[in-house]
């Protein structure tokens, strides 16, 4: 409000200066004289008209500016909420990795962009037994810790997801076949190092079976998923806690 008053007064003073300038230029030219009531009106009228008019104008302008700022802030909050909701819809709430649908979508995009690398399917061994013996809280913690391990192997072009239950997927762009084998063993060993503490106080160790596939540039996502899944079940059939690639 103070700024509006100051700007209105300044506008009024400028109006008076303009009025005096015109009066002292035109009135003498017409043979008149600026004095007395004429001089008073030359000063008073611009002040009486311009100050209220400019105050109204500046007030409305300030209201518009504030409304625009509020609208901009509301739009930003809406965009942030949409982005958060979009991220939430793509992220598994328990493990923090992608949901199954988001993982499959990312795999399709990687294929379309000509990516090549390693596709890993990971399944926690005897997960039902862990839930039944130690409780679902311990099982959830096993899933959370596994998701954290997979997230550590991600970069801008890599992604991991929870494909359902205790099954996870990891795609690592740019790995060779030998690098893929080494990475599979790293992940398997990382999971095997997890030690959980059940509500009973017991320590619970877990392990994972991994089925892996090297995906060349232009790989077919559907066939690759099936092959990696078949390799995973071979790893489990061969005794679990191992890699089949």
């Amino acid at each position: 409000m103070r700024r509006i008053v100051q700007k209105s007064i300044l506008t009024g003073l400028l109006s008076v200066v303009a009025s005096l300038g015109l009066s002292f230029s035109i009135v003498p030219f017409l043979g008149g004289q600026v004095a007395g009531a004429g001089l008073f009106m030359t000063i008073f009228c611009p002040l009486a008209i311009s100050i209220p008019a400019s105050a109204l104008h500046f007030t409305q302008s300030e209201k518009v500016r504030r409304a625009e700022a509020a609208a901009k802030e509301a739009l930003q909050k809406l965009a942030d909420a949409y982005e958060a909701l979009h991220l939430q819809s793509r992220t598994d709430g328990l493990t923090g990795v992608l949901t199954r649908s988001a993982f499959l979508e990312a795999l399709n995009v990687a294929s379309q962009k000509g990516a090549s690398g390693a596709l890993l399917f990971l399944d926690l061994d005897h997960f039902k037994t862990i839930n039944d013996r130690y409780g679902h809280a311990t099982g959830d913690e096993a899933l959370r810790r596994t998701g954290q391990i997979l997230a550590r192997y991600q970069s801008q072009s890599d992604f991991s997801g929870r494909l359902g239950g205790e099954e996870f997927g990891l795609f690592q762009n740019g790995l060779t076949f030998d690098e893929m084998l080494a990475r599979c063993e790293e992940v398997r060993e990382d999971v095997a190092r997890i030690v959980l503490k059940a509500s009973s106080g017991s320590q619970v160790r877990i392990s994972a079976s991994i089925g892996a596939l090297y995906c060349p540039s232009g790989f077919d996502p559907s066939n690759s998923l099936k092959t990696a899944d078949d390799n995973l079940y071979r790893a489990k059939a061969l005794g679990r806690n191992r890699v089949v690639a």
Side-chain angles (χ1 to χ4, degrees), residues 161-200:
R162 184 182 179 192
L163 305 182
E166 67 275 20
E167 189 170 289
F168 294 83
L170 172 66
F171 182 81
Q172 294 226 277
N173 187 38
L175 295 187
T176 65
F177 184 82
D178 289 338
E179 289 171 338
M180 178 186 74
L181 294 178
R183 182 55 44 83
C184 287
E185 286 299 328
E186 286 180 46
V187 173
R188 187 190 63 79
E189 291 172 2
D190 282 347
V191 174
R193 280 193 286 267
I194 293 176
V195 180
L196 305 172
K197 188 172 183 180
S199 57
S200 61

Side-chain angles (χ1 to χ4, degrees), residues 103-228:
F103 180 87
L104 298 180
E105 178 186 339
L107 191 65
N108 281 322
V109 171
S111 172
Q112 293 167 7
K113 290 184 176 180
S116 64
L119 176 62
L120 281 65
F121 268 25
L122 179 151
D123 190 275
L124 295 183
D125 298 326
H126 304 294
F127 185 72
K128 184 177 185 303
T129 302
I130 294 173
N131 273 335
D132 292 344
R133 183 177 298 176
Y134 302 105
H136 287 280
T138 303
D140 287 348
E141 183 61 19
L143 295 173
R144 269 193 294 268
R145 298 279 293 276
T146 303
Q148 291 170 359
I149 287 172
L150 295 179
R152 291 205 301 266
Y153 289 100
Q154 292 183 186
S155 65
Q156 289 185 343
S157 57
D158 306 326
F159 47 90
S160 59
R162 184 182 179 192
L163 305 182
E166 67 275 20
E167 189 170 289
F168 294 83
L170 172 66
F171 182 81
Q172 294 226 277
N173 187 38
L175 295 187
T176 65
F177 184 82
D178 289 338
E179 289 171 338
M180 178 186 74
L181 294 178
R183 182 55 44 83
C184 287
E185 286 299 328
E186 286 180 46
V187 173
R188 187 190 63 79
E189 291 172 2
D190 282 347
V191 174
R193 280 193 286 267
I194 293 176
V195 180
L196 305 172
K197 188 172 183 180
S199 57
S200 61
S202 302
Q203 286 191 338
V204 183
R205 304 194 75 95
I206 63 175
S207 65
S209 301
I210 297 176
L213 174 71
Y214 174 74
C215 300
S217 179
F219 66 92
D220 180 82
S222 297
N223 290 337
S224 299
L225 288 167
K226 184 179 184 309
T227 303

